[in-house]
Amino acid sequence: HVQPNSMARHLARIHGTEEDKVNCPFYFKIGACRHSDRCSRLHHRPAFSPTILLKHVYRHPVREAEMNAGGSGITAKEAEQLVDKDRATEEFWTFFEDMYMELSKFGRLE
């Protein structure tokens, strides 16, 4: 026989952790999950939030290299080696600055 208070404490303790088999810990922590709607766990979307998610805005250079390789069977490691890391870093910071400047037109960013 399980005490109701101990079960409630247990559920509260594991909520949003890897032990929680019902709620997605990634979505709970950062508001996004790589499995998206295919995730086997629940994604509790808040009714309102100070955070916005802009899906598919940034194109990661390694993922681009993988996609450009098409069906050639290139591995993630091989795709990573095709990317000029200095150039990718510079392009990321340019992207970040552009996005920051555009989004700051709508209000304060944290």
Side-chain angles (χ1 to χ4, degrees):
H1 180 262
V2 177
Q3 296 294 325
N5 284 342
S6 66
M7 180 58 81
R9 277 194 295 275
H10 172 73
L11 292 174
R13 182 183 62 77
I14 67 167
H15 182 75
T17 68
E18 287 295 324
E19 290 180 68
D20 188 345
K21 300 301 179 197
V22 175
N23 302 293
C24 179
F26 299 104
Y27 197 88
F28 180 75
K29 291 175 190 164
I30 63 171
C33 171
R34 68 180 171 170
H35 302 294
S36 188
D37 293 334
R38 295 181 315 272
C39 185
S40 62
R41 297 180 185 181
L42 295 177
H43 294 166
H44 294 284
R45 291 174 174 85
F48 62 92
S49 173
T51 303
I52 60 170
L53 174 64
L54 304 173
K55 292 182 179 185
H56 310 292
V57 174
Y58 177 71
R59 299 182 75 132
H60 194 284
V62 174
R63 301 294 86 78
E64 285 288 301
E66 289 172 342
M67 288 190 325
N68 290 338
S72 68
I74 188 171
T75 67
K77 186 97 171 145
E78 292 167 334
E80 189 173 343
Q81 293 170 349
L82 295 173
V83 175
D84 179 341
K85 288 182 181 30
D86 291 335
R87 181 173 174 216
T89 299
E90 182 62 33
E91 288 176 0
F92 169 78
W93 284 114
T94 299
F95 166 82
F96 179 85
E97 290 169 4
D98 289 346
M99 287 298 293
Y100 189 90
M101 294 305 292
E102 284 299 314
L103 293 173
S104 66
K105 294 176 183 177
F106 298 95
R108 187 174 70 88
L109 302 177
E110 294 181 18

